[in-house]
Every structure is written in structure tokens, then in C-alpha cells.
């Protein structure tokens, strides 16, 4: 049986780092996969680190074709909405997501990983993040109200047995910058109309607008995903790291298309106050498949 990488489901961690990397030689993807597959989390009982590794889908398919899900593609083209609103494509070759109890262990492990991959990959994008008021993002609203519990999460996030990529997951990683000044100038009631939920209790509004964020990303319509979003940034420059996992790429892609208004010309109201800076899809192979890669 193939099992998903455990860090996907490691809730409650206080510090996170996202390292996106590019192969130094595009003709040598096998070396990159081998090197990433050889990385290990620190072996410690206290203050440990979870390591989740993923690859550009096309790169993984080239190296391990028998374990690559079909029709999964990188974020290779900008997604442009009907009014020109753009979600940029910033696809890289690999991603490492580190999470743990404190930033010092994340910092040290991240540096060690970058050094271990120095010969085959260069660091292209780095972000760090942390929880805010337990389970809220920097809009002040609870994030992940529709998330499944951990019992159901693996079934939604991991590709089922019996096909290529079993135990793996498709990750959508985006960095969204917030216009905090404009957002915080809105009355709470107007913020609730933008989100489609109440701010304090996170109760979905019965009369939510059709352009509200909840309406534009309705998982009952597009399909369930498992989100591990976190805030990022500084006091002056901050936002949300969208970290979404799914057994199928289509729910993730159609949600973005809906937010951009591609289907019906109605853009997500939240995008008036947030702007994506990055966008990439990664295939996160099963633990067993990733370990086998260290022997390639």
C-alpha cells in the first residue's frame, strides 16, 4: 500500500518554510529527483521537522513515468480573467515544504536541505509563515472552515490505490499579497459580504453574494480539497500562502478559474483586496515512491 507523505497532515505546527527550486541542468531531472528523495527529516522526539517534497508534474513524469498520474500539468501559463485580472504562472521544478514547532529548527533544516541540493538545484523562491490567532488568516477570518477532518483528509488529498501515482497528491502553491489598508477600511459587515461568512463564528451567510469568496470556491460544486494555508510576511508586506492538496488537479484548477471569472464573468470579490504573486502545481509522490527515488 502507498502512503501519502505524513507532513501533509501534520496540523498544529507553528513555523513553516516553502522552498521552490529549479534544476541547474534541465537535461538532468533524474539527479534532482534522486537528491530530493535522499533528504531526511531530523530524527528527534522534541522539536522535529516535517518535510514534504514535490516536483513539477512533467519532470516527475519524465523520471518516473510508471508512477505519474495522467493529465496533471504544471502551472505553465498565466491565468487571465475576463477583466484582465492575472494569476501569474511561476512554475519551478521542485518544492520543499518544511513545518515544525519553532523557526530555529526550520531555519537550520532549510539551510541544510539547500546545501545538500546545491550541486543539482538552485533556490528560486523562498517564503516563511506562521499561524495567526490560532486558525485565522490575515483578513481576520477563520481559514479552512470547509476542511475535512484528518480521518477523511487522506481520501480527498491522496490518489487512490490501483493507478499511477497512488498515495501521491497534487499541490497548488500560491503566494497571495493582501491590500491590508483597503481591506481594513471596510466595515465588518462588508467584509462578511466579500467572504460569504460571518467573521467571528465563520457561519456561511444564507444570502451570500454570488461574487463572495465562498460562492466562487464552493467545494460542493468544484470538489473537495485539503487546505494547509498559512499567513506569511512582515508587518508592512504580508498575505496568505495558499497550500491546497487534492487527489485530482481539476478541483484546484476550476476554483482558480471561478475566482478569475472565466466561466461567467463574475470575479471573486476577495480578489479586489488580494493579488497572487506566484503560482505552481507540484506532484507530491507517496512516501514509498519518494524513497525509491533515492536509489535511482
Amino acid at each position: 500500500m502507498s502512503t501519502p507523505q505524513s507532513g501533509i497532515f501534520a496540523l498544529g505546527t507553528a513555523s513553516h518554510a516553502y522552498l521552490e527550486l529549479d534544476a541547474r541542468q534541465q537535461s538532468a531531472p533524474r539527479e534532482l529527483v534522486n537528491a530530493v528523495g535522499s533528504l531526511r527529516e531530523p530524527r528527534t522526539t522534541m522539536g522535529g521537522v516535517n518535510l514534504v517534497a514535490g516536483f513539477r508534474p512533467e519532470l516527475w513524469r519524465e523520471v518516473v513515468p510508471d508512477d505519474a498520474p495522467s493529465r496533471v500539468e504544471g502551472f505553465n501559463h498565466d491565468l487571465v480573467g475576463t477583466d484582465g485580472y492575472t494569476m501569474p504562472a511561476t512554475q519551478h521544478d521542485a518544492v520543499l515544504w518544511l513545518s515544525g514547532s519553532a523557526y530555529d529548527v526550520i531555519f537550520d533544516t532549510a539551510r541544510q536541505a539547500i546545501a545538500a541540493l546545491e550541486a543539482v538545484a538552485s533556490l528560486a523562491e523562498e517564503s516563511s509563515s506562521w499561524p495567526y490567532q490560532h486558525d485565522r488568516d490575515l483578513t481576520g477570518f477563520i481559514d479552512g472552515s470547509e476542511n475535512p477532518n484528518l480521518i477523511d483528509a487522506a481520501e480527498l488529498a491522496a490518489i487512490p490505490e490501483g493507478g499511477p501515482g497512488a498515495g501521491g497528491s497534487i499541490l497548488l502553491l500560491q503566494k497571495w499579497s493582501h491590500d491590508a489598508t483597503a481591506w481594513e477600511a471596510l466595515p465588518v459587515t462588508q467584509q462578511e459580504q466579500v467572504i460569504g461568512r460571518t467573521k467571528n463564528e465563520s457561519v456561511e451567510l444564507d444570502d451570500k453574494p454570488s461574487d463572495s469568496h465562498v460562492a466562487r470556491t464552493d467545494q460542493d460544486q468544484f470538489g473537495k480539497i485539503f487546505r494547509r494555508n498559512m499567513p506569511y510576511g512582515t508587518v508592512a508586506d504580508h498575505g496568505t500562502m495558499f497550500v491546497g492538496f487534492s487527489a485530482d488537479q481539476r478541483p484546484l484548477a476550476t476554483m482558480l478559474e471561478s475566482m478569475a471569472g472565466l466561466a461567467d464573468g463574475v470575479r471573486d470579490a476577495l480578489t479586489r483586496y488580494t493579488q497572487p504573486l506566484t503560482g505552481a502545481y507540484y506532484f507530491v509522490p507517496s512516501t514509498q515512491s519518494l524513497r525509491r527515488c533515492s536509489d535511482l
Side-chain angles (χ1 to χ4, degrees), residues 29-158:
R30 185 175 297 272
E31 287 77 4
L32 173 60
V33 171
N34 176 273
V36 171
S38 299
L39 296 175
R40 297 292 185 270
E41 302 99 330
R43 294 187 176 182
T44 176
T45 302
M46 300 296 289
V49 174
N50 303 291
L51 171 61
V52 174
F55 302 92
R56 177 168 54 85
E58 295 87 349
L59 184 147
W60 177 260
R61 186 176 296 116
E62 180 179 348
V63 178
V64 194
D66 293 340
D67 193 48
S70 61
R71 298 185 300 277
V72 178
E73 299 179 348
F75 205 133
N76 300 322
H77 305 284
D78 292 350
L79 179 62
V80 181
T82 52
D83 60 355
Y85 183 82
T86 300
M87 298 185 186
T90 59
Q91 184 69 52
H92 298 289
D93 288 329
V95 65
L96 301 178
W97 168 31
L98 306 169
S99 64
S101 60
Y103 188 66
D104 57 349
V105 294
I106 298 298
F107 179 84
D108 287 341
T109 305
R111 292 191 65 207
Q112 292 163 11
I114 293 169
L117 299 175
E118 175 66 22
V120 296
S122 59
L123 182 64
E125 179 76 26
E126 175 189 359
S127 300
S128 58
S129 62
W130 26 266
Y132 177 72
Q133 294 186 8
H134 181 59
D135 55 3
R136 296 178 185 268
D137 64 24
L138 295 179
T139 66
F141 283 74
I142 293 174
D143 198 346
S145 296
E146 292 293 318
N147 246 3
N149 59 48
L150 286 181
I151 295 175
D152 299 324
E155 181 177 345
L156 297 173

Side-chain angles (χ1 to χ4, degrees), residues 58 72 101 113 123 144 157 167 181 202 238 248 258 262 276-277 282 284:
E58 295 87 349
V72 178
S101 60
L123 182 64
T181 300
S202 196
H238 50 259
D248 185 351
S258 174
L262 286 180
L277 305 178
Y282 296 100
V284 179

Side-chain angles (χ1 to χ4, degrees), residues 83 85 179 182 211 265-275:
D83 60 355
Y85 183 82
D179 184 345
D211 67 345
V266 178
R267 202 174 105 195
D268 189 328
L270 186 57
T271 63
R272 310 290 176 186
Y273 308 94
T274 60
Q275 179 66 47

